[in-house]
Amino acid sequence: MVQKYQSPVRVYKHPFELVMAAYERRFPTCHLIPMFVASDVVEEETSEDGSVNRIERRCALDVDAPRLLKRIAGVDYVYFIQKNTLNRQERTLHIESHNETFSNRVIIHETCCYSVHPENEDWTCFEQTASLDIKSFFGFESTVEKIAMKQYASSIKKGKEIIEFYLKELEDEGITQVPRWSPLSPSTAPPRPTTLSVSPPVLPLHTCTPAASAPQPADAKDTPSQEAKQDCTALQADSLTDILAGTPEDKLDADYIKRYLGDLTPLQESCLIRLRKWLQETHKGKIPKDEHILRFLRARDFNMDKAREILCQSLTWRKQHQVDYLLETWNSPQVLQDFYTGGWHHHDRDGRPLYILRLGQMDTKGLVRALGEESLLRHVLSINEEGLRRCEENTKVFGRPISCWTCLVDLEGLNMRHLWRPGVKALLRIIEVVEANYPETLGRLLILRAPRVFPVLWTLVSPFIDENTRKKFLIYAGNDYQGPGGLVDYIDKEIIPDFLGGECMCEVPEGGLVPKSMYRTAEELDNEDVRLWTETIYQSASIFKGAPHEILIEIIDAASVITWDFDVCKGDVVFNIYHSKRAPQPPRKDPLGAHGITSPGVNNVQLIDKSWTLGQDYSMVESPLTCKEGESVQGSHITRWPGFYILQWKFHNMPACSATNLPRVDDVLATLQVSSHKCKVMYYTEVLGSEDFRTACCDVQSLGSMTSLESSHSGFSQLSAATTSSNHSQSSSMISSQSPWT
């Protein structure tokens, strides 16, 4: 496995000659590098005019490694060969180093270059590349590699400090300028110009030499083994000019990285530079900005191979969908402007852009039905693109790197309606796309006023959220966000939105119920994914007078959660839940001929045997729920016992007038509208295992004990025509007055 390192361009704001004078003080030993024991000049030569000086040294290091490892290796010091070529006329110093000790087991190779800054001749640039290839080391290959990486990274970080130390020492001695080299005749040339050499960095382990390591493997074809094993011959002055190949714009300055990208370790800098260079050499099209490349590296813990893979996939996706032009081309539909309850709102205490989403007030079902999934996804993508732009702006405004934003999600009003399956599916797809293409853009997620139904939603979506992202979630139940450790710790009091008790007016839409008139027609949805979902996820059933439709759910573990979502498309029905310890007989289908129905596609199943007695063979675990035509019902039930649960939809018999025992006029008219006493529902059910639900409750530690899924009272009153809940059965149901199917 080959480890590689590439440094950014480090700039010393001092002339080249003065920097070289500082280097002279590092030899033959340097007290700032205790492990650098000694160095001996092996060979030295100087050009006739004194402009070029080449020197080869053999350096010894006392590597900080476990005593056992040193005993096994049988060495006290690690030796390496360092060749320096100083060209005073061109004002460059090239350095090449490789290990002498264990060269048949470990190959370490390093090249460095000091040169004049291309835009300021009074400044000096430094660049460094290195590689480490451990072929074998007495079975301790992994240990050696880790020690090498750790010590080399430390030496890189200390390298600039050492140069600055000697520059300060020269200044204290009154030396602030060193004359540049000028041509001299042979007779006046000095017999032996001052020789320069560069002290090796702190090297790794017994195999340590100034060669580098990086946290990701490289291909075997990049291994510098042949080069490292060549005989040490005099270097030509331009033999390493490829280190500084390319234009200045192609390279990253260390000061630029610190100012715009943040404090990175040397190995992290190396990953960024190498991945950036690879994109410049291989990628056709627009190269992403440095901060965006860095996000992908962070998302994969700076494993360059993994980061490169997901970055390339994202770049292909952006090109296919023209995402780079989304902000200029996307026009948000009016329904989103009116009913999408999200928007940007100032910034948090860290200078991150702040996005507010009032999810509990959003009619997710209405938006999906009115827009379709693709439009909703594009809107979310435009939000992320805008977030990237705002991060760049805030980086300039606050004078420090800002690469992510904070999201505040208000769940006041969240209830079972928000668990409408196509809506959840749309949410999961959006999460998947955002996670894949906008990694490490979420700095913090503040979830406020989380109701008891939240663990159900969390159970559904959390598997699709990256582990690192989940660690950024802060969840508050009720009004906990108003106390110590709450919202004011992250957002200035002056910009807390008015709907959260603050004084700042927030322009985020208040949402509301999307009018049914804005829903897409069936024809418009023919080619939409939402249509496909409803055909595959939901089942339809017909209910007749005297012939209910029933489905069976077997529960193994108590405290499992049964969830349901159904729409009453035709007629009025009564919804019941029963429990039985024994399994009913195989389902029987109602003889449709008895009801005058001849359609072969009608689904109607009865499970409860007519010989069963309520209260003995089976029991009712929910109070009956009457549902009117056009209503949409979502609910859940936490099971108390294992066994068999039967969900039943039955025809609703019109109650007689209490005074006359005769049907009411309105009921008679409603009955006439239901041909052949037939009702129709479309439904979806799902069971959340008890372990999954307990895990969700534990994840949401801020919510305290979750013994019920009963929704808190919703401020979004117009979404709900009625709410029925049973504390005894630990269940909740929510009814909407609109049907998505009519």
Side-chain angles (χ1 to χ4, degrees):
M1 179 183 294
V2 179
Q3 302 289 349
K4 290 187 173 183
Y5 172 77
Q6 169 68 60
S7 75
V9 178
R10 306 192 187 278
V11 178
Y12 299 95
K13 297 182 180 180
H14 300 277
F16 176 81
E17 289 74 19
L18 190 62
V19 172
M20 292 298 99
Y23 268 110
E24 291 186 40
R25 302 199 170 201
R26 299 179 60 176
F27 282 88
T29 60
C30 177
H31 71 280
L32 299 175
I33 311 178
M35 67 181 300
F36 184 48
V37 178
S39 63
D40 300 319
V41 176
V42 176
E43 182 180 352
E44 184 177 8
E45 67 171 311
T46 304
S47 63
E48 184 175 348
D49 63 357
S51 63
V52 179
N53 174 248
R54 302 183 184 91
I55 185 169
E56 179 178 326
R57 294 177 183 271
R58 187 171 186 261
C59 304
L61 294 179
D62 183 9
V63 180
D64 182 16
R67 180 176 298 180
L68 176 62
L69 198 56
K70 286 188 174 183
R71 291 182 63 183
I72 293 175
V75 297
D76 292 324
Y77 301 124
V78 174
Y79 292 91
F80 66 89
I81 302 299
Q82 183 186 73
K83 303 179 193 177
N84 297 345
T85 301
L86 173 65
N87 190 318
R88 296 185 178 90
Q89 183 175 3
E90 297 182 1
R91 305 177 74 193
T92 61
L93 173 64
H94 292 291
I95 306 155
E96 182 176 6
S97 305
H98 67 270
N99 61 306
E100 181 183 77
T101 307
F102 303 124
S103 59
N104 61 331
R105 295 178 177 272
V106 180
I107 300 174
I108 305 176
H109 185 252
E110 179 183 60
T111 57
C112 304
C113 181
Y114 296 81
S115 62
V116 177
H117 194 285
E119 297 177 1
N120 190 331
E121 63 177 10
D122 290 329
W123 290 359
T124 304
C125 295
F126 168 76
E127 284 189 80
Q128 181 178 8
T129 63
S131 62
L132 167 67
D133 185 9
I134 302 177
K135 306 232 177 246
S136 65
F137 203 84
F138 312 106
F140 291 93
E141 292 80 10
S142 178
T143 302
V144 170
E145 182 177 284
K146 290 179 181 178
I147 295 176
M149 292 169 63
K150 180 179 179 180
Q151 295 195 3
Y152 191 70
S154 176
S155 73
I156 295 169
K157 188 174 182 180
K158 184 184 289 187
K160 187 173 182 179
E161 298 176 2
I162 295 174
I163 299 302
E164 297 287 357
F165 172 84
Y166 286 117
L167 286 170
K168 182 64 167 58
E169 189 175 80
L170 288 169
E171 182 181 352
D172 293 342
E173 296 175 5
I175 303 175
T176 58
Q177 187 176 6
V178 176
R180 294 186 185 181
W181 179 89
S182 60
L184 298 175
S185 62
S187 59
T188 59
R192 178 176 179 178
T194 303
T195 60
L196 293 181
S197 186
V198 178
S199 168
V202 181
L203 297 179
L205 192 299
H206 298 334
T207 64
C208 293
T209 74
S213 52
Q216 341 28 15
D219 295 335
K221 64 182 180 180
D222 294 331
T223 304
S225 56
Q226 297 300 322
E227 183 178 357
K229 293 180 180 179
Q230 291 178 349
D231 294 335
C232 299
T233 57
L235 295 175
Q236 298 297 323
D238 58 350
S239 63
L240 297 178
T241 54
D242 58 324
I243 295 178
L244 291 177
T247 63
E249 292 77 12
D250 291 334
K251 302 193 175 185
L252 293 182
D253 182 282
D255 293 334
Y256 161 82
I257 291 177
K258 185 174 182 179
R259 166 63 179 82
Y260 291 98
L261 304 179
D263 290 322
L264 304 179
T265 68
L267 298 183
Q268 290 172 347
E269 290 177 337
S270 172
C271 292
L272 173 62
I273 293 167
R274 290 164 54 209
L275 181 54
R276 185 177 185 269
K277 182 179 179 182
W278 181 85
L279 287 170
Q280 290 171 336
E281 294 174 348
T282 62
H283 184 68
K284 296 180 179 179
K286 186 177 180 180
I287 302 297
K289 297 181 179 180
D290 299 324
E291 51 267 39
H292 202 55
I293 299 175
L294 185 58
R295 290 186 181 102
F296 283 86
L297 285 168
R298 283 175 170 151
R300 291 299 178 266
D301 294 325
F302 287 88
N303 183 311
M304 203 177 85
D305 290 336
K306 293 181 179 179
R308 178 169 53 195
E309 180 181 356
I310 62 173
L311 177 57
C312 289
Q313 292 172 355
S314 179
L315 292 176
T316 301
W317 170 83
R318 294 182 71 90
K319 184 177 180 180
Q320 289 175 344
H321 299 281
Q322 296 292 297
V323 179
D324 288 333
Y325 309 102
L326 188 60
L327 290 179
E328 292 78 21
T329 59
W330 169 249
N331 293 316
S332 180
Q334 190 62 43
V335 65
L336 280 174
Q337 298 178 32
D338 295 338
F339 297 100
Y340 189 88
T341 55
W344 295 100
H345 181 76
H346 300 283
H347 56 80
D348 68 5
R349 288 184 178 271
D350 297 321
R352 297 167 174 165
L354 175 63
Y355 189 83
I356 293 180
L357 180 64
R358 303 184 68 180
L359 183 60
Q361 304 297 308
M362 187 183 298
D363 181 11
T364 53
K365 187 172 186 176
L367 287 174
V368 173
R369 290 302 313 277
L371 293 169
E373 180 193 348
E374 290 303 320
S375 293
L376 201 56
L377 174 59
R378 283 201 169 269
H379 184 64
V380 174
L381 295 181
S382 71
I383 293 171
N384 281 270
E385 290 294 309
E386 174 66 15
L388 297 178
R389 187 188 67 79
R390 287 175 178 258
C391 285
E392 290 183 30
E393 287 185 355
N394 286 18
T395 295
K396 298 174 183 177
V397 170
F398 292 99
R400 60 178 182 272
I402 295 174
S403 61
C404 54
W405 52 82
T406 292
C407 186
L408 187 156
V409 180
D410 179 23
L411 296 184
E412 174 70 19
L414 186 78
N415 51 45
M416 294 305 298
R417 179 183 177 84
H418 292 86
L419 300 184
W420 181 60
R421 297 304 299 179
V424 173
K425 288 288 184 181
L427 174 63
L428 295 181
R429 187 196 169 192
I430 289 172
I431 291 175
E432 185 179 10
V433 171
V434 171
E435 283 280 315
N437 298 285
Y438 299 92
E440 296 298 315
T441 53
L442 181 64
R444 183 180 295 116
L445 180 66
L446 302 170
I447 299 177
L448 308 185
R449 303 196 281 192
R452 289 188 168 187
V453 74
F454 177 66
V456 180
L457 181 62
W458 179 250
T459 300
L460 296 173
V461 304
S462 61
F464 295 86
I465 302 175
D466 181 76
E467 175 87 19
N468 291 332
T469 303
R470 289 203 297 267
K471 294 177 181 178
K472 301 171 184 177
F473 285 31
L474 295 172
I475 305 171
Y476 301 89
N479 293 324
D480 292 348
Y481 69 92
Q482 296 177 346
L487 205 54
V488 292
D489 283 11
Y490 307 101
I491 301 174
D492 288 332
K493 184 178 180 180
E494 293 75 18
I495 66 169
I496 293 179
D498 51 340
F499 64 86
L500 292 176
E503 299 179 356
C504 185
M505 294 299 296
C506 183
E507 297 181 358
V508 173
E510 295 183 0
L513 187 65
V514 177
K516 189 177 176 181
S517 60
M518 303 183 77
Y519 283 11
R520 297 276 193 95
T521 63
E523 291 75 15
E524 291 174 326
L525 289 173
D526 276 341
N527 297 322
E528 294 282 350
D529 290 337
V530 174
R531 179 72 177 203
L532 296 176
W533 288 343
T534 58
E535 291 176 349
T536 57
I537 293 178
Y538 283 78
Q539 300 183 52
S540 63
S542 295
I543 298 104
F544 308 98
K545 191 171 185 178
H549 178 70
E550 297 164 345
I551 61 174
L552 181 67
I553 298 176
E554 183 178 4
I555 297 297
I556 304 300
D557 299 321
S560 297
V561 182
I562 302 173
T563 65
W564 57 83
D565 179 357
F566 66 87
D567 294 288
V568 184
C569 305
K570 190 175 185 181
D572 298 344
V573 300
V574 177
F575 178 64
N576 289 300
I577 304 178
Y578 299 100
H579 171 262
S580 176
K581 294 182 179 179
R582 60 188 176 116
Q585 294 298 318
R588 67 184 189 283
K589 292 196 174 184
D590 177 69
L592 300 178
H595 299 278
I597 306 298
T598 58
S599 172
V602 174
N603 180 29
N604 179 269
V605 176
Q606 288 98 58
L607 298 168
I608 299 177
D609 194 281
K610 293 188 180 298
S611 63
W612 280 15
T613 302
L614 183 63
Q616 296 181 4
D617 301 292
Y618 67 109
S619 59
M620 181 181 291
V621 297
E622 284 287 343
S623 299
L625 179 65
T626 301
C627 308
K628 301 291 185 180
E629 179 176 330
E631 289 181 344
S632 178
V633 182
Q634 295 83 34
S636 63
H637 173 81
I638 302 179
T639 62
R640 289 191 171 187
W641 316 278
F644 300 90
Y645 287 79
I646 299 172
L647 273 59
Q648 180 193 76
W649 293 266
K650 71 176 182 179
F651 187 88
H652 176 52
N653 292 310
M654 304 302 176
C657 180
S658 58
T660 63
N661 205 31
L662 295 174
R664 294 173 296 187
V665 175
D666 291 343
D667 294 336
V668 172
L669 294 175
T671 303
L672 293 176
Q673 296 175 0
V674 181
S675 61
S676 303
H677 301 286
K678 172 185 174 183
C679 300
K680 183 178 180 181
V681 297
M682 297 192 72
Y683 65 90
Y684 177 86
T685 64
E686 184 174 3
V687 177
L688 303 178
S690 59
E691 184 63 32
D692 292 337
F693 182 63
R694 283 195 297 267
T695 300
C697 293
C698 292
D699 287 344
V700 192
Q701 295 178 3
S702 301
L703 299 182
S705 177
M706 291 287 178
T707 58
S708 171
L709 286 184
E710 184 179 2
S711 297
S712 61
H713 291 291
S714 171
F716 197 12
S717 58
Q718 65 267 37
L719 279 180
S720 176
T723 300
T724 300
S725 61
S726 171
N727 292 328
H728 176 73
S729 62
Q730 297 181 340
S731 145
S732 68
S733 295
M734 196 281 293
I735 306 175
S736 171
S737 58
Q738 286 193 355
S739 167
W741 310 111
T742 57

